[in-house]
């Protein structure tokens, strides 16, 4: 008997070591093109799991010329037979999930592999109302002239992300996906929660602007929850147990990061961040898996920078050049449609993020967007109050005080500039890229100190260079 109890865990350990999965993590402020990498790698894994964020994320994936925009459902769903798991660390807007299921199903995608953690928190209508009201309040009552040390709106996606995570940490008034399946205990809880939320929202919005009474009526909310439960009950289960079983049986998991490292609530440009743990360190907690289940960490960055919402961005561009990059890179939010701020590549930030995540490989996305520019700048250090530094200050106020120090390179591809007229979008091997583009990639690899594994030269899955 004793040998049996000893042998079983030993076998599980061996399987786990072999199965160590892959994390795909954004190294900038989001929208790096993680969805495309996840889509490429999903077929080499046995399941895809999300561990953070909510419907604030937006992954757009192009498959056979068709564009799919996903916010909550992991893009692994586009691969038949690969379970798409939404872990406990995600905040779930059930209305959005139902909408995505309906849209995907209408386009012939089978969503039966979608599994949502019973411990994931539910974004309730009052979370969205509070998100909106807080941003408005910050705009009116804040002190915009005082920099990030003062109060000003975060520029959130208004998807209720911050208020939902705040409720999770406050505990008593939070609702989890599993609660939707227990209507008998949900209604009394809603009867206690709704008056509290009404009082809080009323105080935030001020007299005359309070939410209408029916928006916080416990019976109306219970009916909404019942509709959500009816649509999603078959998808809700203990995803940590599912993932642990998969890992113990030698399966490989692809962990799909949402948002990105510089938006991480602890390690990003606080307070201009989102409310979840977006770096690889968020995986064990947000998916309910051991750290040993992550073997490869792919850090994804664009060949330039982009940011949506408020907060410092040292390399931000403006004017005609910004418009050109924004248009060519289709830099308009997948979630909100807002035009994204764009800038030169900030290698100081990317290296910081790569180190923090323990990145074992880099994916450089949207390289084609830079083709045809006469010259390209790359930020390789900052000039700050303490002089020149190559350290990234992961604090909004401190980052606001630095100025970028650039290395300037000749442009490449696309007709004008140093590398000749090669069209980058048709390159499928490094050798097919113009020399200027290769020099740009070499600079990134050298500065960050991590090998490049993928280069993306267009939105389609096929427009990718994989480096063995
Ligand atoms: P929230 O996550 O909606 O609270 O927004 C907080 C900040 O993070 C805002 O500046 C958003 O624009 C930004 N943000 C959140 N998720 C993403 C994303 O997936 N891509 C880009 N920016 C994001």
């Amino acid at each position: 008997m004793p040998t049996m109890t000893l042998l079983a865990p030993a076998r599980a350990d061996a399987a786990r070591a072999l199965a160590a999965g892959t994390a795909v993590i954004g190294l900038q402020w989001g929208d790096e093109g993680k969805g495309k990498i996840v889509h490429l790698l999903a077929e080499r894994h046995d399941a895809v799991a999300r561990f953070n964020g909510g419907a604030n994320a937006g992954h757009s994936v192009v498959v056979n010329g068709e564009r799919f925009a996903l916010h909550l459902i992991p893009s692994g769903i586009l691969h038949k037979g690969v379970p798409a798991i939404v872990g406990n660390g995600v905040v779930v807007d059930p209305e959005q999930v139902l909408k995505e299921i309906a849209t995907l199903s209408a386009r012939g995608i089978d969503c039966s592999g979608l599994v949502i953690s019973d411990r994931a928190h539910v974004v309730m209508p009052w979370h969205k109302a509070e998100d909106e009201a807080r941003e408005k309040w910050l705009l009116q009552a804040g002190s915009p002239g005082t920099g990030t040390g003062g109060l000003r709106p975060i520029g959130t996606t208004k998807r209720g992300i911050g208020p939902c995570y705040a409720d999770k940490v406050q505990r008593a008034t939070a609702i989890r996906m599993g609660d939707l399946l227990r209507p008998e205990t949900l209604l009394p809880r809603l009867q206690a929660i709704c008056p509290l939320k009404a009082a809080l929202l009323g105080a935030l919005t001020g007299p005359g602007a309070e939410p209408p009474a029916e928006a916080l009526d416990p019976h109306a909310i219970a009916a909404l929850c019942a509709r959500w439960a009816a649509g999603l009950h078959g998808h809700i289960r203990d995803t940590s147990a599912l993932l642990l079983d998969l890992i113990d049986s030698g399966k490989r998991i692809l962990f799909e990061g949402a948002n990105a490292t510089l938006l991480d609530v602890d390690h990003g440009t606080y307070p201009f961040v989102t409310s979840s743990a977006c770096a690889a360190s968020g995986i064990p907690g947000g998916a309910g898996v051991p750290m040993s289940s992550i073997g490869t960490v792919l850090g994804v960055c664009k060949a330039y920078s982009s940011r949506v919402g408020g907060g410092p961005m040292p390399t931000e561009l403006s004017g005609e050049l910004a418009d050109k990059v924004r248009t060519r890179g289709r830099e308009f939010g997948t979630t909100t449609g807002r035009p994204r701020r764009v800038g030169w590549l900030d290698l100081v930030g990317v290296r910081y993020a790569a180190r923090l995540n323990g990145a074992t490989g880099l994916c450089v996305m949207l390289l084609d967007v830079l083709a045809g520019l006469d010259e390209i700048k790359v930020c390789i250090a900052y000039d700050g109050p303490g002089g020149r530094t190559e350290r990234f200050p992961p604090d909004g106020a401190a980052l606001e005080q630095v100025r970028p120090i650039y290395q300037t390179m000749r442009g490449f591809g696309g007709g004008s500039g140093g590398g000749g007229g090669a069209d980058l979008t048709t390159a499928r091997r490094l050798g097919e890229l113009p020399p200027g583009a290769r020099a740009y990639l070499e600079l990134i690899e050298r500065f960050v100190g991590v090998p490049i594994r993928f280069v993306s030269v267009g939105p389609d899955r096929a427009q990718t260079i994989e480096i063995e």
Side-chain angles (χ1 to χ4, degrees):
M1 270 320 269
T3 41
M4 277 182 71
T5 50
L6 278 174
L7 271 179
R11 260 200 309 270
D13 279 352
R16 212 178 283 142
L18 281 175
T22 307
V24 176
I25 308 286
L27 298 181
Q28 295 160 307
W29 285 286
D31 312 307
E32 294 93 349
K34 299 179 288 288
K36 174 170 167 173
I37 296 297
V38 169
H39 183 55
L40 275 169
L41 295 180
E43 64 193 18
R44 304 180 200 174
H45 291 78
D46 302 294
V48 180
R50 260 189 73 172
F51 59 91
N52 77 303
N56 53 352
H59 286 168
S60 56
V61 182
V62 178
V63 189
N64 299 330
E66 252 198 286
R67 182 172 286 271
F68 292 85
L70 300 170
H71 298 281
L72 264 163
I73 299 185
S75 41
I77 200 79
L78 301 174
H79 287 271
K80 209 171 155 42
V82 177
I85 299 169
V86 175
N88 57 279
V90 177
V91 287
V92 178
D93 176 350
E95 202 63 49
Q96 177 66 33
V97 179
L98 288 169
K99 216 193 285 173
E100 285 181 32
I101 292 177
T103 312
L104 288 168
S105 305
R107 293 168 78 178
I109 307 288
D110 174 16
C111 291
S112 60
L114 172 68
V115 192
I116 303 172
S117 169
D118 53 1
R119 274 174 265 170
H121 282 247
V122 182
V123 177
M124 298 298 289
W126 49 76
H127 292 135
K128 291 188 216 172
E130 187 185 333
D131 200 354
E132 177 116 34
R134 286 177 70 93
E135 286 287 280
K136 242 187 228 158
W137 188 88
L138 285 167
L139 189 66
Q140 286 157 8
S143 47
T146 55
T148 39
L151 277 181
R152 60 181 204 227
I154 303 284
T156 72
T157 58
K158 307 215 176 107
R159 296 297 178 109
I161 306 299
C164 185
Y165 277 115
D167 251 344
K168 171 179 178 171
V169 181
Q170 303 242 46
R171 295 148 296 162
T173 50
I175 292 171
R176 308 205 289 184
M177 290 301 288
D179 294 327
L180 299 181
L181 307 180
R182 293 180 285 272
E184 63 294 350
T185 50
L186 186 59
L187 181 62
R189 291 193 55 216
L190 290 171
Q191 283 166 324
I193 294 170
C194 286
L196 176 75
K197 294 296 175 186
L200 286 173
L201 276 172
L204 251 182
T205 51
E210 300 99 335
E214 65 273 15
L216 286 159
D217 172 61
H219 288 280
I221 302 281
L224 183 66
C225 290
R227 185 165 63 73
W228 290 342
L232 295 175
H233 69 95
H235 298 279
I236 302 171
R237 60 185 280 198
D238 180 345
T239 51
S240 174
L242 168 65
L243 283 164
L244 292 175
D245 284 347
L246 287 170
I247 291 165
D248 283 349
S249 58
K251 305 288 189 212
R252 295 190 69 208
I253 315 297
L254 182 60
F255 297 100
E256 172 175 345
N259 324 125
T261 308
L262 301 185
L263 290 172
D264 183 282
V265 68
D266 282 292
H267 305 291
T269 51
Y270 197 88
F272 297 99
V273 293
T274 187
S275 305
S276 67
C278 314
S281 47
I283 295 172
V289 296
M291 284 182 284
S292 56
S293 58
I294 313 154
T296 302
V297 179
L298 290 176
V300 188
C301 68
K302 283 180 182 170
Y304 51 94
S305 305
S306 75
R307 178 161 203 171
V308 203
M313 182 182 180
T315 63
E316 185 165 7
L317 289 167
S318 59
E320 225 174 273
L321 186 54
D323 289 341
K324 192 170 183 174
V325 172
R326 186 177 300 115
T327 308
R328 292 179 67 169
R330 304 169 66 126
E331 296 294 354
F332 298 89
T334 319
T335 301
T336 58
R338 291 181 286 181
R340 296 180 189 137
R341 301 156 63 191
V342 293
W344 295 121
L345 179 61
D346 185 343
L347 280 181
V348 180
V350 170
R351 179 167 63 187
Y352 159 74
R355 289 179 72 201
L356 185 77
N357 284 291
T360 56
L362 291 180
C363 310
V364 180
M365 315 301 286
L366 293 122
L367 184 64
D368 54 298
V369 172
L370 296 185
L373 300 180
D374 289 333
E375 60 171 33
I376 295 171
K377 292 185 180 183
V378 191
C379 173
I380 49 162
Y382 296 140
D383 187 13
R388 183 188 163 110
T389 178
E390 288 188 7
R391 276 200 182 269
F392 184 78
D395 171 281
L399 190 62
E400 198 129 88
Q401 292 181 31
V402 306
R403 296 286 159 266
I405 296 174
Y406 287 118
Q407 176 169 332
T408 303
M409 304 180 73
R410 291 185 69 199
F412 50 76
S416 66
D423 175 11
L424 267 60
T425 63
T426 57
R428 297 294 175 268
R429 293 185 303 113
L430 272 185
E432 291 166 12
L433 286 173
R438 292 205 301 272
Y440 190 65
L441 295 174
E442 273 160 26
L443 170 69
I444 295 172
E445 201 171 70
R446 215 172 335 110
F447 192 95
V448 179
V450 176
I452 296 175
R453 295 284 177 229
F454 290 93
V455 179
S456 176
V457 290
D460 205 275
R461 179 191 166 88
Q463 292 170 309
T464 311
I465 299 170
E466 182 168 2
I467 303 157
E468 296 299 335

